[in-house]
Amino acid sequence: MKKVYLMTPGPTPVPSEVRLAEAREIIHHRTKEFSDTIKIVSEGLKPIFKTKNSVFTFAASGTGAMEGAVCNLLSKGDKALVIKGGKFGERWANLCKAYGVEAISVEVEWGDVADPAVVKKHLDDNPDIKVVFATLCETSTATEYPIREYGEVIKSRPNTLLVVDAISGLAACDLQVDNWGVDVCVSGSQKSLMLPPGLAFASISDKAWPFMDKSNLPKFYFDFKKARKALEKSDTPFTPAVSLIMGLKQALEMINADGGIDKILERVTVMGDATQAAMKALGLKLISKHPAKALTGIFAPDGVDGKELKKTLEKKYGVMVAGGQDQFEGKVIRLTHLGYICQFDIITAIAAIELSLHDLKHPVELGKGLKAAQEVFAKASI
Ligand SMILES: *Cc1c(COP(=O)(O)O)cnc(C)c1O
């Protein structure tokens, strides 16, 4: 039987302990058992976000929390700044457009990041910008953005908030919500948290709440104030995704048993270093100038079609990776190292990339990438 290795940057593999927790008999959500669970997971998410603020959980994919950030903080005609260097930066701009928010874009070449000085200049020129929308790890370009530095620019401005999409970045890239002044940080369940898709999260700072009193955009399901009122009683405004929340409790326990968030980050970093060292050893070019450790994106080498490479990996070797979107379509492959992925998944993926390139008649020295990765693992203490 062919085995499938899910190496896409979402969804990611779900450990059997989590799947078993989700398979338990359904319990009613208005019970003490469930309300205790809500309390445990809401508290348990705080150290992952590195925040003292409340973290809210919604039954939605990550984009639901992104939408909530837009419609709760802003009003029609308000100005926002969007850092746009890939698919997910564009999503912020599209959400603003859908709600009639005037989005000024900082256009960034795919694979690059926005200079914090440029963000500062925009804010100096437009002091009425209410929200800066950024992405911690731009998954479409495998790029990590300097959120800490954006925070430095925004923190001291009482009328501007920093909102960050950390859907793939949470528990994969360094992120310190409180220290860096991230006002709303959104994430989702199907990346580092080792869960199936279906939960969205948002942490909300004290600075952000008063913005919601002024917001006149339509909102109902993703009304953050409703979520806050419910969470004060360890409750949710609507029927929660009970089974996913049971899985989340289990996943958080596993993260703690594994040494907590900093240990997880260390492991992701080593796996990112190993993968990226392997790609370099194979002469493959990373697509990012500021590569994230959460995932690795490479250009297919000259003479190799990216779509064929992805197809060979999947059909012949069972290794599922992501291709490219829009301008990267057919040109790149992306594979993840976050969540429930270990050194040997990485080794498998690298071996499959070497074999696939060989199959596609690209000259490759088998084992060269593996050696580079193993050398990184040999030096690391994870
Ligand atoms: C995966 C991802 C999303 C998409 O979230 P959905 O859960 O599909 O709504 C958004 N932003 C980033 C950076 C992502 O990696």
Side-chain angles (χ1 to χ4, degrees), residues 293-309:
K293 303 296 183 196
L295 77 160
T296 294
I298 50 152
F299 287 110
D302 284 346
V304 173
D305 178 358
K307 278 193 183 139
E308 284 301 312
L309 180 56

Side-chain angles (χ1 to χ4, degrees), residues 9 61-63 66 88 91 135 137 139 165 167-168 190-191:
S61 83
T63 305
M66 293 174 77
F88 295 110
R91 186 163 298 180
T135 312
C137 171
T139 319
D165 167 356
I167 296 179
S168 64
Q190 79 277 26
K191 310 269 163 116

Side-chain angles (χ1 to χ4, degrees), residues 44-60:
L45 285 166
K46 291 181 183 180
I48 311 282
F49 281 71
K50 302 202 172 161
T51 185
K52 290 196 174 66
N53 300 319
S54 297
V55 181
F56 300 91
T57 300
F58 302 91

